[in-house]
């Protein structure tokens, strides 16, 4: 979704920190935005959906 919402390539997404993604999600959603994924969630996503 980051690619669609923020124009990120897969490489940009996987190199981003949870804090960077969280800042964008918060800015896009205001104070009621969803929390960014934690490191464990990102690790599981990286394993399930490897990019090349």
């Amino acid at each position: 979704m980051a690619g669609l919402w923020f124009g990120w390539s897969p490489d940009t997404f996987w190199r981003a920190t949870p804090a960077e993604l969280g800042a964008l999600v918060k800015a896009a959603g205001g104070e009621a935005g969803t929390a960014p994924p934690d490191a464990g969630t990102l690790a599981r996503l990286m394993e399930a959906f490897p990019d090349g």
Side-chain angles (χ1 to χ4, degrees):
M1 295 307 297
L4 293 174
W5 290 343
F6 309 126
W8 285 7
S9 68
D11 186 56
T12 301
F13 173 79
W14 292 118
R15 291 178 187 269
T17 66
E20 291 168 330
L21 183 56
L24 286 173
V25 169
K26 185 175 180 181
E31 293 298 317
T34 56
D38 61 23
T41 300
L42 287 176
R44 287 189 299 279
L45 287 169
M46 290 172 67
E47 186 175 326
F49 302 101
D51 289 327

